[in-house]
Each structure stands twice: as C-alpha cells, then as structure tokens.
Amino acid sequence: MSRSTSEHTARPYRGMKRSTRLTMVAGVAVFLTLVSGVSFAAWTASSLKTAAATAGAITVSTENSQGAATITALGPHTYDVSGGTKVAAISVNNTGTVPASVSTLAIARTGAIPGSQIAVKLWSQTTTPCSSTSPSSAISSTLAGGTIDLQSLTMTVAASSFATLCASTTFTGDLTTYAGMSTTATFTLNTAASANWKATDSLPLASRSFTQSVKTLSQLPAPSITGCSTTYRSYFWWFGYRPQATIAWNAPTAPAGTAITYKVYHQSGSTVTLLSTTTSRSVTINETHIQSDGTVTVVASATGYLDSPASSATTVSYSNVSSGGISCGN
C-alpha cells in the first residue's frame, strides 16, 4: 500500500525541451520582423493624412478633366486700359491615392513689362467659372516672381479628384509707358500630403506659361493753332488795361467720342513751362502766367493714345512796363 502511494507522488516540473524553446523564440522573431514596419508607421504618424501618405502617393497637375492645361488660359491677353483684369480657373487635378493640400505657387517671369506692374490674386472656389471680382480672402501678390504661400486657402484636393484655384491678373501700370510691351510668366503649383510627401505640377513648362501684353497705342495727330489775338483786361481801375494773348487751335482727327485734353506749353530759351491743361480749344495768357518772350505750343492727349506731337509754335511777347502784359507776335 505504501509502495503504491509512493509511486503516484507528483514529480517536480523540469521545463520544456531545449529544442522546443528554440523553435518558439524563432517564431516570435519572425513575427516581429513581419509586423515591425506597420507598427513603426502607426507610431510615427502625426496624423491620419501622414499615415496614409506612407502607404500612398500624390501626383498633381493643372489640367482639367479633358486633359487640357488651365494655367495657359491667363494668356495670350492684351490689356487696353490700366486696371484691366484677366480671370482664369486653374484646375488642380490630384491623380494620386491620398488627399493633397495646395501649399505654394512659384512664379517665374521674363519680358519687358516689369512683374510689379501686373497684380495677381488667388482664391479657392467650389464652382466655375471663377468670379469676375476676387473675394476679400484672396491672396494678393504680383508677377514679380518668387513663391506665394497658399496655405491660408486651406485647399485640399481629394484623391482622384479636382479642385478649382481661381487666378486674376490686373495691369496696374501706365498704358503709354508700356505700350507694345509684353511679359511671359510661368506658374508652378506645389502640393503636400505631409511634411515629407510633396508633389509639383507635372505638366511641362509650356503648359504652365502664358503671355500678356499692353496694346500698341496710336499717336494722336498734332492740333493746329488757328490764331493768336491780343485782347485787353482791366488791371486796376487806376492803371487801366493790360494786353493778353488768346490762342486758339483745331482738334486733331480722332474717333468720335474721344475725350481729348490739351497741354499748353511756353518755351523761352531752353526753359519749357506747362501753362495750362484744358479740354477747351483756346487759352488766354497774361503776365501772371509768364514774364518773358517766347513761343507757345499745344499737345493733345487722350486715354488709349500716345500724346500728339507739338503743334506749330506761335510767338508771344512780354512787356513789364506799367501798362504792359502779353501780346501776340514779337
């Protein structure tokens, strides 16, 4: 009986075999190796967007759904007034697999018109065509070049989707100064899906460029002076009258409705003085305007035209005696 009890007493646990332990350790190592990449991405992702970017890609272009470039819609364009504006809808096409946020727009420019003379405004819009006037939230810059930060637009384009970036350009310079000149600008749109995942417009340079010009202006013909007459004005009642010269001219030939302004100049020696700017076709000059002999010419000017050549000159003379003044002729 005692022998039977002794035979059923539990023996101490001696552990698994060494070969079994080695097999389990190797299995765990393989498992950790397989899952370590996924675990690292999950732990280091700062946001869902970053986590997605590690497994996806972003590819962006500025072509529309028909495959046509859209930046080029800003040109060719010719400005015929200062303050003229051109508006275009730039399509931001994300063909990648993760959302992309519009970050910057780089501008390069060549040509005779300085970039500072053409203002640029950019804004996000959910519909097309773009509004003819920009909203107060639009980002303002010029074609002078450099990089424009667009992050304040908070414009994110879903994967395999489009969004609209509206752009307007406005000529702010002087028509006469830049008449006949042009400039060519290139836009490069940049997007990002995280701090390290970025994409630049994939279209070729020619599909991201446009040319804008200022129209070539015609020159107004010179006005022709029709005569100079000496009249008299009362000076003070005790001094009597003093002579003054009234000069008249004909309007130059111009399209009906053209608003013409005339600039009247007096030249004495090498000194040229602007006496008057008027819309009338005559002017009266007295000793309060000039105090020297000389000649008077008239120049015509109008919006959308180069100033005319000076008219032929008419001579006026000055007398400083008590009853003197300005008279026609020598």
Side-chain angles (χ1 to χ4, degrees):
M1 193 71 177
S2 61
R3 182 179 178 180
S4 176
T5 301
S6 172
E7 287 177 355
H8 287 82
T9 301
R11 297 180 180 180
Y13 174 71
R14 297 179 180 180
M16 65 180 67
K17 293 181 179 181
R18 182 172 182 272
S19 61
T20 302
R21 290 198 303 271
L22 291 174
T23 300
M24 291 183 65
V25 169
V28 170
V30 171
F31 173 77
L32 290 176
T33 300
L34 291 173
V35 304
S36 61
V38 175
S39 300
F40 178 78
W43 279 101
T44 58
S46 60
S47 66
L48 291 177
K49 183 185 293 184
T50 307
T54 60
I58 54 174
T59 304
V60 175
S61 71
T62 50
E63 61 185 0
N64 59 23
S65 57
Q66 289 76 45
T70 54
I71 290 175
T72 53
L74 286 167
H77 179 72
T78 300
Y79 295 103
D80 55 9
V81 294
S82 182
T85 296
K86 175 65 176 176
V87 179
I90 297 175
S91 184
V92 184
N93 180 10
N94 179 10
T95 56
T97 57
V98 294
S101 296
V102 174
S103 55
T104 61
L105 179 72
I107 299 177
R109 186 204 60 79
T110 60
I113 303 175
S116 59
Q117 302 301 305
I118 300 179
V120 177
K121 289 191 176 182
L122 301 154
W123 68 96
S124 174
Q125 189 169 303
T126 57
T127 59
T128 56
C130 291
S131 302
S132 58
T133 56
S134 60
S136 58
S137 58
I139 295 173
S140 297
S141 188
T142 69
L143 285 187
T147 300
I148 304 172
D149 189 342
L150 301 180
Q151 295 182 80
S152 64
L153 297 179
T154 60
M155 183 177 175
T156 299
V157 188
S160 301
S161 185
F162 291 84
T164 300
L165 175 67
C166 294
S168 72
T169 58
T170 302
F171 176 65
T172 58
D174 178 70
L175 280 177
T176 302
T177 301
Y178 300 107
M181 298 183 186
S182 64
T183 189
T184 298
T186 300
F187 284 0
T188 303
L189 187 71
N190 299 297
T191 59
S194 70
N196 297 316
W197 286 74
K198 304 179 187 299
T200 297
D201 191 349
S202 61
L203 293 187
L205 190 103
S207 298
R208 297 183 281 109
S209 301
F210 58 92
T211 298
Q212 296 187 339
S213 307
V214 174
K215 78 170 186 176
T216 301
L217 302 182
S218 300
Q219 187 176 37
L220 287 172
S224 57
I225 292 179
T226 57
C228 178
S229 59
T230 301
T231 58
Y232 291 86
R233 69 183 183 92
S234 59
Y235 183 50
F236 287 113
W237 67 269
W238 57 85
F239 284 126
Y241 298 89
R242 285 189 169 180
Q244 58 187 8
T246 298
I247 301 167
W249 55 86
N250 285 333
T253 302
T258 303
I260 300 177
T261 300
Y262 301 97
K263 301 173 184 177
V264 182
Y265 294 93
H266 175 259
Q267 181 169 355
S268 179
S270 60
T271 302
V272 178
T273 305
L274 176 63
L275 298 180
S276 175
T277 299
T278 179
T279 56
S280 300
R281 293 201 301 274
S282 65
V283 68
T284 298
I285 305 167
N286 58 49
E287 74 282 356
T288 65
H289 300 115
I290 55 175
Q291 291 83 43
S292 61
D293 298 340
T295 57
V296 173
T297 56
V298 181
V299 172
S301 63
T303 300
Y305 291 88
L306 297 174
D307 284 358
S308 75
S311 67
S312 57
T314 187
T315 303
V316 294
S317 57
Y318 167 70
S319 173
N320 62 357
V321 298
S322 61
S323 59
I326 301 297
S327 302
C328 295
N330 294 321

